[in-house]
Amino acid sequence: MSTAVAGNGLDRSAVERMVREVVRQRLGAVRGPKPRLVVNISARHMHVTKETLEILFGAGAELTVMRPLYQDGYFASEQMVTIIGPRHRTITNLRILGPLRPENQIELAFTDGIAMGIDLPVRMSGKVKGTPGCIVLGPKGHVELKEGVIRAQRHAHMHPDDAAYYGVKNGDLMRLRVESSCAATFEEIICRVDPKVKLEVHLDTDEGNACDLANARRVELVK
Amino acid sequence: MSTAVAGNGLDRSAVERMVREVVRQRLGAVRGPKPRLVVNISARHMHVTKETLEILFGAGAELTVMRPLYQDGYFASEQMVTIIGPRHRTITNLRILGPLRPENQIELAFTDGIAMGIDLPVRMSGKVKGTPGCIVLGPKGHVELKEGVIRAQRHAHMHPDDAAYYGVKNGDLMRLRVESSCAATFEEIICRVDPKVKLEVHLDTDEGNACDLANARRVELVK
């Protein structure tokens, strides 16, 4: 294999992955270079189905990109909603993230949950069975979600190369140390290994603010 | 010394301290029993001077107790104010803690600071020189604070017996591990040793929510 295959329509990152794979097979257990660790704060947001989007924003509505996210293909949309909790407390300007999903889901921090009067369960994204619901208002209509309001479990998106570097597999738990003037180590970071993603840890706003992630001197993921 | 001295007007805890001190002197380096560690969330609040209280609540106003705090003599008062930040964003129902202090101070979490548009410095309580200010509204008047808005540095109030148990002195830094479904370890917990206090760690709402302190299975303070 040589870089000449790049001429066959493969992109640069695909070639790099193939080269790394071959090198790893030939050299056995030699550990690759340390991957670049990105830690981002995931502020409160909503994921919607096509059906829900059309109820909230009108027939034929589509999500439009406000800002791309770190993972390829994901974005913060220009579309925002208002949510209403059981005690009629509201959060306005809750941003929808794209692309569309097969299930509706709202991810809040505990601080948001307390403000809303919702006792948030900590769940992996997508595991919304039996969770609280709320009312969602869009400019063209509203929906009552029966479930789907969660605090997302801390997680690390990982390419299989990253998982190999750290010696972990999908579903394993790791710890993240954030070195700052408010240093902290977060446990129970679940590894979500997928060949389509780049290494990225997601914290919520409570976690990011607790450790002053914005001014962190160093971040480290440890087994 | 015997418990008979309790008849001389000493309270029970003073007697216990004296007995512990004598036992420690006789037995040398024997470590006492593990102290009871209490970790409390300190939600956003204000400390006021007598002068400020009277401007906000009227001449002769006094703080009245809504709820005693864990440390003897301290309390959440019934008095609340509204604060206004540089971008005219407000926080209402900000509670004043008693007793009165020689300096005004407002303690917010980073989440509050972001909502208010204030870049909060992390400071030890009382060290407010050069920090941001804000406008404070009470029912009878308002004041413009030139400084005093901070995020309080994580701290552990400690009796000298507790400091001796952990082998630390005033100003030392410790770590607090909170075991929960969102387990975390907070570093840079500064020890504030004072013979008038009971062992208690104060976290702010971001920190308490980040680790789900309300549902913690175990808390541990380590050097």
Side-chain angles (χ1 to χ4, degrees), chain A residues 35 55 89 93 124 130 171 173 184:
Chain A
I55 295 170
R89 293 182 180 176
N93 300 331
M124 278 275 289
L173 297 175

Side-chain angles (χ1 to χ4, degrees), chain A residues 15-148:
Chain A
V15 173
E16 285 176 1
R17 274 202 299 276
M18 289 161 68
V19 171
R20 269 201 300 273
E21 185 54 32
V22 170
V23 169
R24 193 166 59 212
Q25 283 168 4
R26 295 217 179 145
L27 298 181
V30 172
R31 215 179 183 201
K34 189 167 190 167
R36 177 168 174 255
L37 173 61
V38 170
V39 181
N40 278 318
I41 295 179
S42 193
R44 58 184 179 236
H45 62 268
M46 183 173 188
H47 298 284
V48 294
T49 63
K50 177 75 181 154
E51 185 194 355
T52 297
L53 182 69
E54 295 202 346
I55 295 170
L56 297 173
F57 290 85
E62 291 191 17
L63 291 176
T64 52
V65 178
M66 181 199 64
R67 185 173 60 82
L69 298 178
Y70 183 64
Q71 299 294 341
D72 296 335
Y74 292 81
F75 59 93
S77 82
E78 293 176 314
Q79 283 67 39
M80 295 191 289
V81 295
T82 293
I83 58 173
I84 306 180
R87 293 157 65 186
H88 298 184
R89 293 182 180 176
T90 63
I91 289 179
T92 57
N93 300 331
L94 183 75
R95 200 166 289 283
I96 298 176
L97 300 192
L100 294 169
R101 286 211 185 175
E103 276 191 290
N104 298 304
Q105 181 171 294
I106 292 172
E107 298 177 34
L108 304 178
F110 274 175
T111 297
D112 302 321
I114 291 165
M116 285 283 281
I118 297 178
D119 188 13
L120 294 171
V122 178
R123 292 289 182 94
M124 278 275 289
S125 187
K127 307 282 188 195
V128 297
K129 188 92 181 160
T131 60
C134 72
I135 292 173
V136 184
L137 309 181
K140 294 289 173 63
H142 73 275
V143 293
E144 184 179 349
L145 298 187
K146 295 297 179 194
E147 59 186 19

Side-chain angles (χ1 to χ4, degrees), chain A residues 110-112 114 119 122 151 153-154 177-178 180-188 204-212 215 217, chain B residues 110-112 114 119 122 151 153-154 177-178 180-188 204-212 215 217:
Chain A
F110 274 175
T111 297
D112 302 321
I114 291 165
D119 188 13
V122 178
R151 176 190 195 168
Q153 183 175 353
R154 299 164 188 159
R177 177 161 185 271
V178 177
S180 72
S181 63
C182 307
T185 299
F186 299 104
E187 304 178 28
E188 328 265 342
D204 68 17
T205 46
D206 287 337
E207 293 156 348
N209 289 336
C211 68
D212 195 11
N215 296 301
R217 291 185 296 269
Chain B
F110 275 175
T111 296
D112 302 322
I114 291 165
D119 188 12
V122 178
R151 175 189 197 170
Q153 183 176 353
R154 299 164 187 158
R177 179 163 185 270
V178 177
S180 71
S181 63
C182 307
T185 298
F186 299 103
E187 305 179 27
E188 327 265 340
D204 68 15
T205 46
D206 287 338
E207 293 156 350
N209 288 336
C211 68
D212 195 11
N215 296 302
R217 292 185 294 268

